[in-house]
Amino acid sequence: MSGTKSETPPSNPHRSAGGRPDKLSDFPLLRSLQDRCRAAVVKALQERPFDKHALLVSEGAEADELFMLLEGAIVLWKTRPDRHAQVTGFLFPGDVMGAANDSRYLYSARAVVRGRLASLPKRQLADLGDSYPDLRRALYRSVTSDFALAQDQLLILGAMSAKERVATALLQFDRRQRARGMDPAAPLWLPMRRMDLASYLGLELPTLSRTFSRLRQDGLISCPSTTEVSLRDRAALARMSCEALE
Amino acid sequence: MSGTKSETPPSNPHRSAGGRPDKLSDFPLLRSLQDRCRAAVVKALQERPFDKHALLVSEGAEADELFMLLEGAIVLWKTRPDRHAQVTGFLFPGDVMGAANDSRYLYSARAVVRGRLASLPKRQLADLGDSYPDLRRALYRSVTSDFALAQDQLLILGAMSAKERVATALLQFDRRQRARGMDPAAPLWLPMRRMDLASYLGLELPTLSRTFSRLRQDGLISCPSTTEVSLRDRAALARMSCEALE
DNA sequence: CGCCAAGTTGACAAGTCTCAATGTAAGTGG
DNA sequence: CCACTTACATTGAGACTTGTCAACTTGGCG
């Protein structure tokens, strides 16, 4: 958008929301607000760095804050009564967390890599919402978007084979990464552990790994590193994602 | 039940939200509102009957109305690009539909049996929300509750065996039915087709049917009719729901 | 450089899907 | 009111995907 990529990425382009300037006001949620409202929100936001693997939110804890991820990646999960956890989603820069949680958080959140987030106490949020209706609307859209994501996930988990799930997820991540303004030619950044990805897709780790290997053999993807995946043939992936068999 | 199947429809306790008076203002969403607000909402609500199998909402259509189910049952589903549909949920009396959909509906809705619903145009809703903050809050809670349901469904679809899924779902329906004020001893009312239930649980119909048969053989449930299920041993079902194996 | 966590791959068993036949309840028309 | 028709549910046999267990390889990090 703003042609001036003033901020030379110190290292990894993913660290700074995709080559985009780090300025708070350039994140999508805030971009959609009117100037006065945006200024008020930016002023209220508290920036905070976090370490790799840091626990950011605990399921069941009082949901008194709203978060926006500025840099890094976060894994969301629910704990089942006894069995191991179920990963319900991932957050990337620009994503909002906590809007869809009423009094208590519905899931836990852990940092995949170190990064930064901006937080806003809900009390303050309510006040701002009274003054600026478009903020309320923006948050409402954030909630419905979370809901839509969960619904799509139901589709993945409810009626897809392993290959379909992986193909669908890769395209989903690709779409999100491009929405963050990343170069479409750049490889996907998937810093989470394979285990988390497997849980997210309702698969066991070996099954996920095998599926990846298969896609690599067939030339649909390539993996420059453990945390990066290049989509070589989006069309084939899209076909695989929708068409049921083979 | 009674030896004489007095099949008089009006006497079906499920038809009227569980033996509860049919008055609009007695439904949970409205009960939570302050008197003046409730009165205003009740006045704005439009009651409407619908037939069995009637299409009530189409995925992708403009979401200009909010619905509350008064009587009957509704199945929600998403259509996959080519393969058959995925059922994402069921609505029973008192449930709200449409709050979590922003500009367009995220799913379609079809009547399982005939019933009644109350609707409210979103435009009117916005006006009321401005006048009555607690209405806005009630709707917000409705959305987060929808979201929580979808999240729980992720748990079911992502990491459970067929037996666990069925046991979990039965207990879930049981909880909801009791929340509607139904007698805990009364059998579960499950008027949807087995096919829909199977899709909801991410299973094929024969697998669901087999699982039901197994539970019946083991004495955990009994099925007085196709649309009714009695939970004979909730404790065992709860154990099966959580404990992974066997 | 070596260790340990994480990822990959193999062999086998188990659970679920597919296809198909049978049984049953509901709905329709004579 | 009964026979007929249709839709839905149940059950069976076999194939196949996926899960499980375990060995092996890789790669990050001290």
Side-chain angles (χ1 to χ4, degrees):
Chain A
M1 307 303 159
S2 62
T4 57
K5 278 195 181 176
S6 52
E7 178 93 286
T8 36
S11 50
N12 186 333
H14 299 285
R15 292 280 303 281
S16 58
R20 210 195 309 210
D22 277 308
K23 284 188 55 189
L24 265 177
S25 51
D26 281 332
F27 282 89
L29 178 76
L30 297 174
R31 258 189 129 55
S32 70
L33 301 175
Q34 288 166 7
D35 291 348
R36 285 184 47 248
C37 174
R38 180 167 55 234
V41 173
V42 166
K43 197 172 159 200
L45 281 173
Q46 297 261 338
E47 276 194 53
R48 176 151 63 87
F50 54 81
D51 287 333
K52 184 175 182 176
H53 295 157
L55 184 66
L56 301 171
V57 157
S58 283
E59 183 180 353
E62 195 166 352
D64 49 3
E65 275 189 321
L66 185 82
F67 300 96
M68 183 170 71
L69 184 58
L70 303 178
E71 182 184 320
I74 291 174
V75 52
L76 308 177
W77 83 93
K78 286 176 83 79
T79 35
R80 286 204 39 201
D82 49 302
R83 204 192 271 202
H84 41 55
Q86 166 76 20
V87 171
T88 58
F90 301 99
L91 297 183
F92 292 100
D95 292 336
V96 172
M97 159 174 67
N101 299 265
D102 189 18
S103 57
R104 304 198 165 272
Y105 290 113
L106 296 169
Y107 42 69
S108 305
R110 186 182 296 281
V112 173
V113 297
R114 69 203 190 85
R116 284 181 310 127
L117 55 77
S119 68
L120 185 61
K122 287 224 173 167
R123 187 197 325 268
Q124 226 170 324
L125 185 68
D127 294 343
L128 285 169
D130 290 339
S131 314
Y132 305 102
D134 57 330
L135 173 60
R136 203 196 293 281
R137 244 203 106 56
L139 284 174
Y140 180 66
R141 250 180 284 117
S142 158
V143 176
T144 56
S145 150
D146 279 8
F147 184 71
L149 267 179
Q151 291 266 325
D152 289 342
Q153 198 60 14
L154 290 184
L155 260 170
I156 294 185
L157 296 178
M160 287 192 187
S161 69
K163 283 169 78 173
E164 293 176 280
R165 293 182 197 203
V166 173
T168 308
L170 287 175
L171 291 172
Q172 192 187 95
F173 286 125
D174 185 48
R175 211 174 316 123
R176 287 171 73 181
Q177 180 159 309
R178 277 187 289 173
R180 270 180 282 142
M182 297 285 299
D183 177 8
L188 272 183
W189 182 52
L190 300 177
M192 69 290 284
R193 296 180 309 181
R194 287 278 189 277
M195 179 66 211
D196 290 331
L197 207 50
S199 170
Y200 178 62
L201 297 176
L203 301 171
E204 290 302 313
L205 199 153
T207 304
L208 177 71
S209 192
R210 264 185 268 268
T211 309
F212 261 92
S213 299
R214 190 68 181 276
L215 291 177
R216 226 182 310 120
Q217 285 166 22
D218 297 351
L220 300 190
I221 64 172
S222 65
C223 303
S225 77
T226 319
T227 60
E228 287 182 321
V229 176
S230 250
L231 308 191
R232 314 291 264 180
D233 190 345
R234 285 194 178 81
L237 286 172
R239 240 176 293 125
M240 181 176 291
S241 161
C242 291
E243 290 168 16
L245 42 113
E246 175 46 326
Chain B
M1 301 254 171
S2 55
T4 56
K5 272 196 176 178
S6 59
E7 192 60 271
T8 38
S11 69
N12 185 336
H14 300 286
R15 291 282 302 283
S16 56
R20 212 194 305 210
D22 277 307
K23 284 186 54 188
L24 267 176
S25 53
D26 281 332
F27 283 89
L29 178 77
L30 297 173
R31 258 190 128 54
S32 70
L33 301 175
Q34 290 168 6
D35 291 348
R36 282 183 50 248
C37 174
R38 179 167 56 232
V41 173
V42 166
K43 197 171 157 201
L45 282 172
Q46 296 262 338
E47 278 193 48
R48 176 151 63 87
F50 54 81
D51 287 334
K52 183 174 181 176
H53 295 157
L55 183 66
L56 301 171
V57 157
S58 284
E59 181 179 356
E62 195 167 350
D64 49 2
E65 275 188 320
L66 185 82
F67 300 97
M68 183 170 73
L69 184 59
L70 303 177
E71 183 183 320
I74 290 174
V75 52
L76 309 176
W77 83 94
K78 285 176 86 79
T79 35
R80 285 205 40 200
D82 49 302
R83 205 191 269 203
H84 40 56
Q86 166 75 20
V87 172
T88 58
F90 300 99
L91 297 182
F92 292 100
D95 291 337
V96 172
M97 160 174 66
N101 299 265
D102 189 17
S103 57
R104 304 198 165 271
Y105 291 112
L106 297 169
Y107 41 69
S108 305
R110 187 180 294 281
V112 173
V113 297
R114 69 203 190 83
R116 283 181 309 127
L117 56 76
S119 68
L120 185 60
K122 286 224 173 166
R123 187 197 324 266
Q124 227 170 325
L125 187 67
D127 295 342
L128 285 169
D130 290 340
S131 315
Y132 304 102
D134 58 330
L135 173 60
R136 205 195 290 280
R137 241 202 109 56
L139 284 175
Y140 181 66
R141 249 180 284 117
S142 159
V143 176
T144 56
S145 151
D146 279 7
F147 183 71
L149 267 180
Q151 290 267 324
D152 289 343
Q153 198 61 15
L154 289 185
L155 263 171
I156 293 185
L157 296 178
M160 287 193 187
S161 69
K163 282 168 78 171
E164 294 176 280
R165 294 182 197 205
V166 173
T168 308
L170 287 176
L171 292 171
Q172 192 186 94
F173 286 125
D174 185 49
R175 211 174 315 122
R176 287 172 71 179
Q177 179 158 310
R178 278 186 288 174
R180 271 180 282 144
M182 297 284 300
D183 178 8
L188 272 184
W189 183 54
L190 300 176
M192 68 289 286
R193 296 179 308 180
R194 287 280 189 275
M195 179 67 212
D196 291 331
L197 206 50
S199 170
Y200 178 62
L201 297 176
L203 301 171
E204 291 302 313
L205 199 154
T207 304
L208 177 72
S209 192
R210 265 185 264 269
T211 309
F212 262 90
S213 299
R214 189 69 181 274
L215 291 177
R216 227 182 311 120
Q217 284 167 21
D218 296 352
L220 300 190
I221 65 172
S222 64
C223 302
S225 80
T226 318
T227 60
E228 287 183 319
V229 176
S230 249
L231 308 190
R232 314 290 266 179
D233 191 343
R234 285 194 178 79
L237 286 171
R239 240 175 294 125
M240 180 176 293
S241 160
C242 291
E243 291 168 16
L245 42 113
E246 177 42 328

